[in-house]
Amino acid sequence: MTINDGWLRDLGMELRRRGVPGGTADHVVAEAATHLRDSGEPPMAAFGPAGAYAAVVSDSVGAAWRRARRPAPGPMRLRARGIVKRYRRRDVLSGVDLTVHAGEVAAVIGANGCGKSTFLRICAGLISPDKGTVQVDGSIGYCPQDGGTIDFLRPEEHFVLVGGGRNWSRERSRAKGRAAAATLDWDASTPMLSRHLSGGTRQKLNLVMAGLSEPDVLLLDEPYQGFDRGTYLDFWEQVWRWRDSGRAVVVVTHMLNQLDLVDTVLDLSGANRERWS
Amino acid sequence: MRKLGVVADMTLREMLRRRGVLILLLALPLAFYVVRRNGYTGESIRALFLGLSWAISTAALFSASAGRAVEPRLRLSGYRSHHLYLGRLAALLVLGTGIAVPLLALVALDPAQDKVRTGGVALAMLLCVTVAAPFGLLVAALVPRELEGTLVLLVVVGMQMVVDPAGAGAKVMPFWSSREIGTYAVDHTGSGYLDRGLVHGVAFTLALALLVAVLSSYRLRTRSHMRFASGR
Amino acid sequence: MLASGVVDQERRSQWLRGVLDMCVLAMVSGGESYGYHLVQAVEAAGLGPIKGGTLYPVLLRLESTGLVATDWRQGPSGPARKYYRITAAGQATLRQAVLDWQSFSSDVNAILQRGNAILQEGQST
């Protein structure tokens, strides 16, 4: 009985993490409980690991639900055209194009060193390309792969600093930051300095900072480094939320298992292969 | 103004939490002072000024280096570059004043220094702070890493220490003003030293701040490949 | 022998994966039913044992696409259960699926029997 209870609790948690709506999640858990009682089977034999079963459930209802409530893509938010970047006479990017509309997610993929981060930094306007333009309609939020936080400040002070750029009151910045952190299963009211946070938590801080000022375009450079599996799922749920609220999101990633859920895939290693041939 | 205040506040908090650095910031000028104290009166006070200048410029260097990775993000979240460099400068001036005040009290209360003009010492210290802060920011903007910056500051302070203050080259050194005003305060010279020092200090403060402004604005400029839709 | 038994089992579960949703739809078309009961019914029908972890996602998909309607109710004996029954849309889908399956399976049958007939001829000569 206790084995069942533990497994059912895990299932409920995993379902919620994957964004399955609360009512549906409760029903799935209750139905599984009834099944276990009726059949007398142990949960692992009947359903397998709670996380895996939750993933299957989320795929059959969550994905449909996600697609159903998803608004149609809006106006163009980001358009990179003919981006060329050379380092030491080597073309890192050779004529890369990318267009992302409001309510769309684009994934930038490719092997290490193929220029994914460089491309994102060019889109953010942090570095200049050798050729090409980036057209942006709206404000930009950028989350770097690492760095980007201030060692001797607390998480909430980071929020105040970022919110200050929008002329928000300190309390408003703090409250918004804490709320965004909570969606990543993180209590950001800690008095710990950023330098003492674990790598994964610091990346959560980075991610919250990027989204805090509610930018129209979010540029995320593999922000989930150091995340455990649950947080990784929370991260993608956050990406879907941003998309559903009409943001344009660009995610640099080397993980391919989420690609079926994004709208555009820009494969930079593919572009380079073309160049070699 | 609010944006500038937030940047200054957070920069100050960040610096105040580096306890070890704070202790060194106070200890360094103090050590300069104590080492020279048994010699000629003016020497110890001039050493104190140099120690203070070095400490504040080093603090500015480290603060600017720490902020380098974050400033582009803050630009994206709504700050203009002048909010960022002026905010940092303001924080450094507050920190510098906080360090200068106890040192000034030390000089004022030191029985060996009962003949100096305390007002002159205070003015010289103020100029040390106002010159050193943008000077450290400027060095940070020009060199790639903290190590190189620290060495540059070491060279400048070392040269300032050995250069003949009456020579032609001395006037181009950033901390010459404190030496001149120091002479006025310690040796009770005429106001020529005071005037020269004041003009030099103010001019250097403004010139260095202007250079920092130009370099920061360039580094944090809106890149020419970016096309922002109108109306936003 | 054992190896071929394992392969058979795998093949059967692959076949079942393709048709389980239609079989479930057919089984609830006669009247409402609940999860564990359907597991037993599938096994009783000779399709082999299926896990709850396989069946419930299928039911959820049928529910989210509106082919079955559900109702949480206290059963005649035992705890509250989620009962499934077919909807009008489900009936239409089932009718179409039956036609599709018949056409598909007869095509498969035709190919298999032709192959089998050639083998038989080869053996007899």
Side-chain angles (χ1 to χ4, degrees), chain A residues 142-243:
Chain A
Y142 170 73
C143 182
Q145 210 169 352
D146 48 28
T149 57
I150 302 169
D151 280 354
F152 286 84
L153 290 187
R154 295 174 181 151
E156 290 194 333
E157 290 165 342
H158 285 81
F159 304 153
V160 168
L161 194 52
V162 172
R166 294 269 176 268
N167 273 322
W168 291 355
S169 75
R170 288 169 184 238
E171 198 31 63
R172 183 176 176 201
S173 302
R174 278 192 286 263
K176 282 210 167 242
R178 277 195 304 265
T183 66
L184 295 171
D185 200 20
W186 173 44
D187 177 10
S189 58
T190 170
M192 262 163 89
L193 300 182
S194 146
R195 64 200 281 256
H196 293 136
L197 300 174
S198 73
T201 310
R202 208 174 306 129
Q203 277 307 91
K204 289 183 190 181
L205 172 58
N206 244 333
L207 196 62
V208 172
M209 284 168 76
L212 192 69
S213 52
E214 296 171 351
D216 302 292
V217 179
L218 279 138
L219 305 169
L220 313 173
D221 192 355
E222 298 194 73
Y224 40 72
Q225 309 228 340
F227 282 5
D228 57 32
R229 182 157 169 75
T231 311
Y232 179 70
L233 295 169
D234 292 340
F235 161 71
W236 279 100
E237 287 304 329
Q238 178 64 55
V239 169
W240 310 138
R241 271 195 294 276
W242 276 327
R243 178 187 69 181

Side-chain angles (χ1 to χ4, degrees), chain B residues 5-23:
Chain B
V6 171
V7 174
D9 178 11
M10 292 306 152
T11 308
L12 197 59
R13 284 180 195 221
E14 189 202 350
M15 290 191 293
L16 290 180
R17 290 208 180 111
R18 300 172 190 249
R19 296 239 176 77
V21 175
L22 278 184
I23 290 168

Side-chain angles (χ1 to χ4, degrees), chain B residues 128-206:
Chain B
C128 284
V129 172
T130 61
V131 172
F135 184 62
L137 294 182
L138 180 68
V139 171
L142 292 176
V143 302
R145 276 175 299 269
E146 288 166 354
L147 178 63
E148 285 90 334
T150 313
L151 292 176
V152 168
L153 293 180
L154 192 67
V155 168
V156 169
V157 170
M159 281 174 65
Q160 186 91 60
M161 212 178 273
V162 296
V163 79
D164 169 19
K171 285 197 178 101
V172 301
M173 302 299 291
F175 305 122
W176 185 70
S177 58
S178 64
R179 173 140 200 149
E180 289 298 284
I181 300 177
T183 305
Y184 162 81
V186 174
D187 299 333
H188 294 264
T189 55
S191 64
Y193 279 89
L194 176 67
D195 297 343
R196 273 204 304 276
L198 194 58
V199 168
H200 185 273
V202 170
F204 258 74
T205 300
L206 294 178

Side-chain angles (χ1 to χ4, degrees), chain A:
Chain A
M1 201 56 201
T2 48
I3 295 174
N4 286 7
D5 288 348
W7 187 89
L8 290 167
R9 196 175 51 240
D10 287 353
L11 176 62
M13 208 179 73
E14 294 282 345
L15 287 170
R16 252 169 281 269
R17 272 210 153 138
R18 286 170 169 80
V20 175
T24 309
D26 290 345
H27 283 173
V28 169
V29 173
E31 196 173 28
T34 315
H35 180 95
L36 293 175
R37 204 160 38 228
D38 284 345
S39 65
E41 291 168 320
M44 287 298 284
F47 293 99
Y53 181 52
V56 177
V57 169
S58 147
D59 281 351
S60 29
V61 290
W65 164 77
R66 219 178 261 141
R67 273 191 294 274
R69 84 200 154 105
R70 179 172 168 199
M76 190 276 289
R77 285 275 178 255
L78 178 89
R79 176 171 287 159
R81 268 192 288 202
I83 299 294
V84 175
K85 183 73 180 175
R86 292 187 198 95
Y87 277 122
R88 296 189 184 127
R89 279 189 261 155
R90 192 176 77 90
D91 275 17
V92 178
L93 301 167
S94 43
V96 178
D97 300 305
L98 177 70
T99 302
V100 193
H101 297 87
E104 280 187 341
V105 178
V108 180
I109 61 167
N112 285 342
C114 71
K116 301 189 294 278
S117 296
T118 303
F119 178 69
L120 210 67
R121 291 168 65 78
I122 288 172
C123 287
L126 302 180
I127 52 175
S128 299
D130 291 304
K131 268 186 209 151
T133 58
V134 174
Q135 203 179 327
V136 177
D137 183 2
S139 53
I140 300 174
Y142 170 73
C143 182
Q145 210 169 352
D146 48 28
T149 57
I150 302 169
D151 280 354
F152 286 84
L153 290 187
R154 295 174 181 151
E156 290 194 333
E157 290 165 342
H158 285 81
F159 304 153
V160 168
L161 194 52
V162 172
R166 294 269 176 268
N167 273 322
W168 291 355
S169 75
R170 288 169 184 238
E171 198 31 63
R172 183 176 176 201
S173 302
R174 278 192 286 263
K176 282 210 167 242
R178 277 195 304 265
T183 66
L184 295 171
D185 200 20
W186 173 44
D187 177 10
S189 58
T190 170
M192 262 163 89
L193 300 182
S194 146
R195 64 200 281 256
H196 293 136
L197 300 174
S198 73
T201 310
R202 208 174 306 129
Q203 277 307 91
K204 289 183 190 181
L205 172 58
N206 244 333
L207 196 62
V208 172
M209 284 168 76
L212 192 69
S213 52
E214 296 171 351
D216 302 292
V217 179
L218 279 138
L219 305 169
L220 313 173
D221 192 355
E222 298 194 73
Y224 40 72
Q225 309 228 340
F227 282 5
D228 57 32
R229 182 157 169 75
T231 311
Y232 179 70
L233 295 169
D234 292 340
F235 161 71
W236 279 100
E237 287 304 329
Q238 178 64 55
V239 169
W240 310 138
R241 271 195 294 276
W242 276 327
R243 178 187 69 181
D244 294 345
S245 63
R247 314 293 165 75
V249 188
V250 182
V251 188
V252 167
T253 178
H254 60 266
M255 305 199 184
L256 306 177
N257 52 352
Q258 298 289 343
L259 292 189
D260 49 336
L261 292 169
V262 305
D263 303 284
T264 311
V265 177
L266 173 64
D267 186 351
L268 289 180
S269 58
N272 285 347
R273 266 203 301 280
E274 267 173 30
R275 195 164 52 79
W276 295 126
S277 59

